[in-house]
Amino acid sequence: MLEQHTELIERLLRGSLTRTREFNQALSFTNDGTLYFTVWDKDGTTFFSWSEREPSTSADLQTDSDSVAAYVLTTELGSMRAMALPFDVPRFPRKIDQLHPSWAAEKTQWPPTLLYHRIDDPNVRFYSNTPSIAVPTTHAMQDDLEDLLKKYMA
């Protein structure tokens, strides 16, 4: 699934200071070697991890939805781009009680992980153990992907 997002990743990295490296069969991104965003695929699922000091393959968010993966890549690599260049980026709510009303969050058998899904299309879904990552994703997905991408390409 990650291969289909290669063009999106290259577009977001073009002209930025964000560095990419392979880490445990994953792609890891950083601007300064302090904060890392790591992404990898396994068995049709894309996993995302955020970490400090070193890349990590301990997933904070996972999805089998191509559209969710594209939005997470756009917001995270776009934010890294903005930190390096710098320019303002969209600010989205981050608390669970601010979940976008077109989305639901359900408990899973793996607390504190929640299943987030669109109410009108449960196939657009992801699992996350971090509301401060999940809730902004639900809000970002209200924009058309191309429109959202433009906000990160200043």
mmCIF file with all atom_site columns, all heavy atoms in Angstrom, residues 95-111:
data_model
loop_
_atom_site.group_PDB
_atom_site.id
_atom_site.type_symbol
_atom_site.label_atom_id
_atom_site.label_alt_id
_atom_site.label_comp_id
_atom_site.label_asym_id
_atom_site.label_entity_id
_atom_site.label_seq_id
_atom_site.pdbx_PDB_ins_code
_atom_site.Cartn_x
_atom_site.Cartn_y
_atom_site.Cartn_z
_atom_site.occupancy
_atom_site.B_iso_or_equiv
_atom_site.pdbx_formal_charge
_atom_site.auth_seq_id
_atom_site.auth_comp_id
_atom_site.auth_asym_id
_atom_site.auth_atom_id
_atom_site.pdbx_PDB_model_num
ATOM 1   N N   . LYS A 1 95  ? -8.385  16.715 21.047 1.00 0.00 ? 95  LYS A N   1
ATOM 2   C CA  . LYS A 1 95  ? -8.933  15.957 22.175 1.00 0.00 ? 95  LYS A CA  1
ATOM 3   C C   . LYS A 1 95  ? -10.076 15.055 21.742 1.00 0.00 ? 95  LYS A C   1
ATOM 4   O O   . LYS A 1 95  ? -10.839 15.391 20.834 1.00 0.00 ? 95  LYS A O   1
ATOM 5   C CB  . LYS A 1 95  ? -9.417  16.920 23.261 1.00 0.00 ? 95  LYS A CB  1
ATOM 6   C CG  . LYS A 1 95  ? -8.289  17.737 23.854 1.00 0.00 ? 95  LYS A CG  1
ATOM 7   C CD  . LYS A 1 95  ? -8.801  18.664 24.921 1.00 0.00 ? 95  LYS A CD  1
ATOM 8   C CE  . LYS A 1 95  ? -7.648  19.479 25.473 1.00 0.00 ? 95  LYS A CE  1
ATOM 9   N NZ  . LYS A 1 95  ? -8.106  20.454 26.451 1.00 0.00 ? 95  LYS A NZ  1
ATOM 10  N N   . ILE A 1 96  ? -10.228 13.923 22.427 1.00 0.00 ? 96  ILE A N   1
ATOM 11  C CA  . ILE A 1 96  ? -11.233 12.924 22.039 1.00 0.00 ? 96  ILE A CA  1
ATOM 12  C C   . ILE A 1 96  ? -12.642 13.509 22.048 1.00 0.00 ? 96  ILE A C   1
ATOM 13  O O   . ILE A 1 96  ? -13.466 13.141 21.210 1.00 0.00 ? 96  ILE A O   1
ATOM 14  C CB  . ILE A 1 96  ? -11.134 11.649 22.910 1.00 0.00 ? 96  ILE A CB  1
ATOM 15  C CG1 . ILE A 1 96  ? -11.967 10.511 22.317 1.00 0.00 ? 96  ILE A CG1 1
ATOM 16  C CG2 . ILE A 1 96  ? -11.509 11.937 24.345 1.00 0.00 ? 96  ILE A CG2 1
ATOM 17  C CD1 . ILE A 1 96  ? -11.500 9.977  21.014 1.00 0.00 ? 96  ILE A CD1 1
ATOM 18  N N   . ASP A 1 97  ? -12.931 14.441 22.936 1.00 0.00 ? 97  ASP A N   1
ATOM 19  C CA  . ASP A 1 97  ? -14.272 15.035 22.958 1.00 0.00 ? 97  ASP A CA  1
ATOM 20  C C   . ASP A 1 97  ? -14.483 16.026 21.812 1.00 0.00 ? 97  ASP A C   1
ATOM 21  O O   . ASP A 1 97  ? -15.569 16.571 21.644 1.00 0.00 ? 97  ASP A O   1
ATOM 22  C CB  . ASP A 1 97  ? -14.574 15.681 24.314 1.00 0.00 ? 97  ASP A CB  1
ATOM 23  C CG  . ASP A 1 97  ? -13.654 16.834 24.664 1.00 0.00 ? 97  ASP A CG  1
ATOM 24  O OD1 . ASP A 1 97  ? -12.624 17.033 23.976 1.00 0.00 ? 97  ASP A OD1 1
ATOM 25  O OD2 . ASP A 1 97  ? -13.951 17.536 25.639 1.00 0.00 ? 97  ASP A OD2 1
ATOM 26  N N   . GLN A 1 98  ? -13.447 16.227 20.987 1.00 0.00 ? 98  GLN A N   1
ATOM 27  C CA  . GLN A 1 98  ? -13.542 17.089 19.816 1.00 0.00 ? 98  GLN A CA  1
ATOM 28  C C   . GLN A 1 98  ? -13.538 16.280 18.513 1.00 0.00 ? 98  GLN A C   1
ATOM 29  O O   . GLN A 1 98  ? -13.350 16.833 17.434 1.00 0.00 ? 98  GLN A O   1
ATOM 30  C CB  . GLN A 1 98  ? -12.362 18.078 19.797 1.00 0.00 ? 98  GLN A CB  1
ATOM 31  C CG  . GLN A 1 98  ? -12.353 19.014 20.990 1.00 0.00 ? 98  GLN A CG  1
ATOM 32  C CD  . GLN A 1 98  ? -11.072 19.818 21.050 1.00 0.00 ? 98  GLN A CD  1
ATOM 33  O OE1 . GLN A 1 98  ? -9.980  19.282 20.918 1.00 0.00 ? 98  GLN A OE1 1
ATOM 34  N NE2 . GLN A 1 98  ? -11.214 21.120 21.243 1.00 0.00 ? 98  GLN A NE2 1
ATOM 35  N N   . LEU A 1 99  ? -13.765 14.975 18.627 1.00 0.00 ? 99  LEU A N   1
ATOM 36  C CA  . LEU A 1 99  ? -13.820 14.110 17.457 1.00 0.00 ? 99  LEU A CA  1
ATOM 37  C C   . LEU A 1 99  ? -14.826 14.675 16.450 1.00 0.00 ? 99  LEU A C   1
ATOM 38  O O   . LEU A 1 99  ? -15.907 15.119 16.835 1.00 0.00 ? 99  LEU A O   1
ATOM 39  C CB  . LEU A 1 99  ? -14.248 12.705 17.887 1.00 0.00 ? 99  LEU A CB  1
ATOM 40  C CG  . LEU A 1 99  ? -14.270 11.620 16.814 1.00 0.00 ? 99  LEU A CG  1
ATOM 41  C CD1 . LEU A 1 99  ? -12.852 11.302 16.347 1.00 0.00 ? 99  LEU A CD1 1
ATOM 42  C CD2 . LEU A 1 99  ? -14.925 10.366 17.367 1.00 0.00 ? 99  LEU A CD2 1
ATOM 43  N N   . HIS A 1 100 ? -14.455 14.663 15.172 1.00 0.00 ? 100 HIS A N   1
ATOM 44  C CA  . HIS A 1 100 ? -15.367 15.201 14.162 1.00 0.00 ? 100 HIS A CA  1
ATOM 45  C C   . HIS A 1 100 ? -16.673 14.419 14.211 1.00 0.00 ? 100 HIS A C   1
ATOM 46  O O   . HIS A 1 100 ? -16.663 13.191 14.325 1.00 0.00 ? 100 HIS A O   1
ATOM 47  C CB  . HIS A 1 100 ? -14.742 15.129 12.761 1.00 0.00 ? 100 HIS A CB  1
ATOM 48  C CG  . HIS A 1 100 ? -15.508 15.937 11.787 1.00 0.00 ? 100 HIS A CG  1
ATOM 49  N ND1 . HIS A 1 100 ? -16.636 15.460 11.156 1.00 0.00 ? 100 HIS A ND1 1
ATOM 50  C CD2 . HIS A 1 100 ? -15.337 17.208 11.360 1.00 0.00 ? 100 HIS A CD2 1
ATOM 51  C CE1 . HIS A 1 100 ? -17.115 16.401 10.372 1.00 0.00 ? 100 HIS A CE1 1
ATOM 52  N NE2 . HIS A 1 100 ? -16.342 17.479 10.473 1.00 0.00 ? 100 HIS A NE2 1
ATOM 53  N N   . PRO A 1 101 ? -17.828 15.105 14.109 1.00 0.00 ? 101 PRO A N   1
ATOM 54  C CA  . PRO A 1 101 ? -19.128 14.425 14.249 1.00 0.00 ? 101 PRO A CA  1
ATOM 55  C C   . PRO A 1 101 ? -19.441 13.384 13.170 1.00 0.00 ? 101 PRO A C   1
ATOM 56  O O   . PRO A 1 101 ? -20.333 12.559 13.372 1.00 0.00 ? 101 PRO A O   1
ATOM 57  C CB  . PRO A 1 101 ? -20.153 15.562 14.218 1.00 0.00 ? 101 PRO A CB  1
ATOM 58  C CG  . PRO A 1 101 ? -19.441 16.769 13.762 1.00 0.00 ? 101 PRO A CG  1
ATOM 59  C CD  . PRO A 1 101 ? -17.973 16.554 13.970 1.00 0.00 ? 101 PRO A CD  1
ATOM 60  N N   . SER A 1 102 ? -18.711 13.382 12.066 1.00 0.00 ? 102 SER A N   1
ATOM 61  C CA  . SER A 1 102 ? -18.960 12.365 11.038 1.00 0.00 ? 102 SER A CA  1
ATOM 62  C C   . SER A 1 102 ? -18.171 11.081 11.313 1.00 0.00 ? 102 SER A C   1
ATOM 63  O O   . SER A 1 102 ? -18.228 10.141 10.527 1.00 0.00 ? 102 SER A O   1
ATOM 64  C CB  . SER A 1 102 ? -18.620 12.907 9.649  1.00 0.00 ? 102 SER A CB  1
ATOM 65  O OG  . SER A 1 102 ? -17.234 13.166 9.540  1.00 0.00 ? 102 SER A OG  1
ATOM 66  N N   . TRP A 1 103 ? -17.467 11.039 12.436 1.00 0.00 ? 103 TRP A N   1
ATOM 67  C CA  . TRP A 1 103 ? -16.649 9.885  12.826 1.00 0.00 ? 103 TRP A CA  1
ATOM 68  C C   . TRP A 1 103 ? -17.126 9.324  14.158 1.00 0.00 ? 103 TRP A C   1
ATOM 69  O O   . TRP A 1 103 ? -17.697 10.035 14.976 1.00 0.00 ? 103 TRP A O   1
ATOM 70  C CB  . TRP A 1 103 ? -15.189 10.303 12.963 1.00 0.00 ? 103 TRP A CB  1
ATOM 71  C CG  . TRP A 1 103 ? -14.513 10.523 11.658 1.00 0.00 ? 103 TRP A CG  1
ATOM 72  C CD1 . TRP A 1 103 ? -14.657 11.607 10.831 1.00 0.00 ? 103 TRP A CD1 1
ATOM 73  C CD2 . TRP A 1 103 ? -13.602 9.644  11.016 1.00 0.00 ? 103 TRP A CD2 1
ATOM 74  N NE1 . TRP A 1 103 ? -13.891 11.451 9.712  1.00 0.00 ? 103 TRP A NE1 1
ATOM 75  C CE2 . TRP A 1 103 ? -13.215 10.261 9.797  1.00 0.00 ? 103 TRP A CE2 1
ATOM 76  C CE3 . TRP A 1 103 ? -13.056 8.408  11.335 1.00 0.00 ? 103 TRP A CE3 1
ATOM 77  C CZ2 . TRP A 1 103 ? -12.329 9.669  8.916  1.00 0.00 ? 103 TRP A CZ2 1
ATOM 78  C CZ3 . TRP A 1 103 ? -12.162 7.824  10.458 1.00 0.00 ? 103 TRP A CZ3 1
ATOM 79  C CH2 . TRP A 1 103 ? -11.811 8.453  9.267  1.00 0.00 ? 103 TRP A CH2 1
ATOM 80  N N   . ALA A 1 104 ? -16.843 8.053  14.374 1.00 0.00 ? 104 ALA A N   1
ATOM 81  C CA  . ALA A 1 104 ? -17.109 7.397  15.657 1.00 0.00 ? 104 ALA A CA  1
ATOM 82  C C   . ALA A 1 104 ? -15.808 6.786  16.166 1.00 0.00 ? 104 ALA A C   1
ATOM 83  O O   . ALA A 1 104 ? -14.936 6.410  15.372 1.00 0.00 ? 104 ALA A O   1
ATOM 84  C CB  . ALA A 1 104 ? -18.162 6.306  15.500 1.00 0.00 ? 104 ALA A CB  1
ATOM 85  N N   . ALA A 1 105 ? -15.698 6.685  17.473 1.00 0.00 ? 105 ALA A N   1
ATOM 86  C CA  . ALA A 1 105 ? -14.551 6.021  18.112 1.00 0.00 ? 105 ALA A CA  1
ATOM 87  C C   . ALA A 1 105 ? -15.113 4.937  19.014 1.00 0.00 ? 105 ALA A C   1
ATOM 88  O O   . ALA A 1 105 ? -15.942 5.215  19.885 1.00 0.00 ? 105 ALA A O   1
ATOM 89  C CB  . ALA A 1 105 ? -13.731 7.024  18.907 1.00 0.00 ? 105 ALA A CB  1
ATOM 90  N N   . GLU A 1 106 ? -14.669 3.711  18.779 1.00 0.00 ? 106 GLU A N   1
ATOM 91  C CA  . GLU A 1 106 ? -15.181 2.575  19.547 1.00 0.00 ? 106 GLU A CA  1
ATOM 92  C C   . GLU A 1 106 ? -14.053 1.893  20.303 1.00 0.00 ? 106 GLU A C   1
ATOM 93  O O   . GLU A 1 106 ? -12.927 1.787  19.800 1.00 0.00 ? 106 GLU A O   1
ATOM 94  C CB  . GLU A 1 106 ? -15.852 1.573  18.606 1.00 0.00 ? 106 GLU A CB  1
ATOM 95  C CG  . GLU A 1 106 ? -17.041 2.150  17.873 1.00 0.00 ? 106 GLU A CG  1
ATOM 96  C CD  . GLU A 1 106 ? -17.643 1.161  16.882 1.00 0.00 ? 106 GLU A CD  1
ATOM 97  O OE1 . GLU A 1 106 ? -17.191 -0.002 16.819 1.00 0.00 ? 106 GLU A OE1 1
ATOM 98  O OE2 . GLU A 1 106 ? -18.579 1.564  16.169 1.00 0.00 ? 106 GLU A OE2 1
ATOM 99  N N   . LYS A 1 107 ? -14.377 1.386  21.481 1.00 0.00 ? 107 LYS A N   1
ATOM 100 C CA  . LYS A 1 107 ? -13.401 0.641  22.267 1.00 0.00 ? 107 LYS A CA  1
ATOM 101 C C   . LYS A 1 107 ? -13.045 -0.651 21.538 1.00 0.00 ? 107 LYS A C   1
ATOM 102 O O   . LYS A 1 107 ? -13.841 -1.203 20.783 1.00 0.00 ? 107 LYS A O   1
ATOM 103 C CB  . LYS A 1 107 ? -13.970 0.314  23.647 1.00 0.00 ? 107 LYS A CB  1
ATOM 104 C CG  . LYS A 1 107 ? -14.134 1.529  24.513 1.00 0.00 ? 107 LYS A CG  1
ATOM 105 C CD  . LYS A 1 107 ? -14.650 1.155  25.889 1.00 0.00 ? 107 LYS A CD  1
ATOM 106 C CE  . LYS A 1 107 ? -14.807 2.402  26.733 1.00 0.00 ? 107 LYS A CE  1
ATOM 107 N NZ  . LYS A 1 107 ? -15.250 2.100  28.084 1.00 0.00 ? 107 LYS A NZ  1
ATOM 108 N N   . THR A 1 108 ? -11.838 -1.126 21.794 1.00 0.00 ? 108 THR A N   1
ATOM 109 C CA  . THR A 1 108 ? -11.365 -2.390 21.216 1.00 0.00 ? 108 THR A CA  1
ATOM 110 C C   . THR A 1 108 ? -10.938 -3.312 22.355 1.00 0.00 ? 108 THR A C   1
ATOM 111 O O   . THR A 1 108 ? -10.946 -2.919 23.519 1.00 0.00 ? 108 THR A O   1
ATOM 112 C CB  . THR A 1 108 ? -10.156 -2.158 20.286 1.00 0.00 ? 108 THR A CB  1
ATOM 113 O OG1 . THR A 1 108 ? -9.046  -1.727 21.075 1.00 0.00 ? 108 THR A OG1 1
ATOM 114 C CG2 . THR A 1 108 ? -10.476 -1.144 19.200 1.00 0.00 ? 108 THR A CG2 1
ATOM 115 N N   . GLN A 1 109 ? -10.516 -4.496 21.991 1.00 0.00 ? 109 GLN A N   1
ATOM 116 C CA  . GLN A 1 109 ? -10.035 -5.437 22.998 1.00 0.00 ? 109 GLN A CA  1
ATOM 117 C C   . GLN A 1 109 ? -8.601  -5.122 23.432 1.00 0.00 ? 109 GLN A C   1
ATOM 118 O O   . GLN A 1 109 ? -8.029  -5.844 24.236 1.00 0.00 ? 109 GLN A O   1
ATOM 119 C CB  . GLN A 1 109 ? -10.117 -6.865 22.473 1.00 0.00 ? 109 GLN A CB  1
ATOM 120 C CG  . GLN A 1 109 ? -9.288  -7.127 21.248 1.00 0.00 ? 109 GLN A CG  1
ATOM 121 C CD  . GLN A 1 109 ? -9.530  -8.513 20.681 1.00 0.00 ? 109 GLN A CD  1
ATOM 122 O OE1 . GLN A 1 109 ? -10.374 -9.249 21.171 1.00 0.00 ? 109 GLN A OE1 1
ATOM 123 N NE2 . GLN A 1 109 ? -8.793  -8.869 19.645 1.00 0.00 ? 109 GLN A NE2 1
ATOM 124 N N   . TRP A 1 110 ? -8.019  -4.030 22.887 1.00 0.00 ? 110 TRP A N   1
ATOM 125 C CA  . TRP A 1 110 ? -6.647  -3.644 23.214 1.00 0.00 ? 110 TRP A CA  1
ATOM 126 C C   . TRP A 1 110 ? -6.592  -2.226 23.790 1.00 0.00 ? 110 TRP A C   1
ATOM 127 O O   . TRP A 1 110 ? -6.053  -1.324 23.158 1.00 0.00 ? 110 TRP A O   1
ATOM 128 C CB  . TRP A 1 110 ? -5.760  -3.700 21.969 1.00 0.00 ? 110 TRP A CB  1
ATOM 129 C CG  . TRP A 1 110 ? -5.904  -4.941 21.168 1.00 0.00 ? 110 TRP A CG  1
ATOM 130 C CD1 . TRP A 1 110 ? -5.430  -6.178 21.467 1.00 0.00 ? 110 TRP A CD1 1
ATOM 131 C CD2 . TRP A 1 110 ? -6.602  -5.078 19.930 1.00 0.00 ? 110 TRP A CD2 1
ATOM 132 N NE1 . TRP A 1 110 ? -5.777  -7.072 20.502 1.00 0.00 ? 110 TRP A NE1 1
ATOM 133 C CE2 . TRP A 1 110 ? -6.499  -6.420 19.531 1.00 0.00 ? 110 TRP A CE2 1
ATOM 134 C CE3 . TRP A 1 110 ? -7.311  -4.199 19.100 1.00 0.00 ? 110 TRP A CE3 1
ATOM 135 C CZ2 . TRP A 1 110 ? -7.061  -6.901 18.368 1.00 0.00 ? 110 TRP A CZ2 1
ATOM 136 C CZ3 . TRP A 1 110 ? -7.864  -4.680 17.945 1.00 0.00 ? 110 TRP A CZ3 1
ATOM 137 C CH2 . TRP A 1 110 ? -7.734  -6.009 17.591 1.00 0.00 ? 110 TRP A CH2 1
ATOM 138 N N   . PRO A 1 111 ? -7.139  -2.002 24.984 1.00 0.00 ? 111 PRO A N   1
ATOM 139 C CA  . PRO A 1 111 ? -7.078  -0.650 25.551 1.00 0.00 ? 111 PRO A CA  1
ATOM 140 C C   . PRO A 1 111 ? -5.633  -0.172 25.647 1.00 0.00 ? 111 PRO A C   1
ATOM 141 O O   . PRO A 1 111 ? -4.762  -0.995 25.923 1.00 0.00 ? 111 PRO A O   1
ATOM 142 C CB  . PRO A 1 111 ? -7.684  -0.809 26.936 1.00 0.00 ? 111 PRO A CB  1
ATOM 143 C CG  . PRO A 1 111 ? -8.349  -2.126 26.951 1.00 0.00 ? 111 PRO A CG  1
ATOM 144 C CD  . PRO A 1 111 ? -7.725  -2.960 25.878 1.00 0.00 ? 111 PRO A CD  1
#
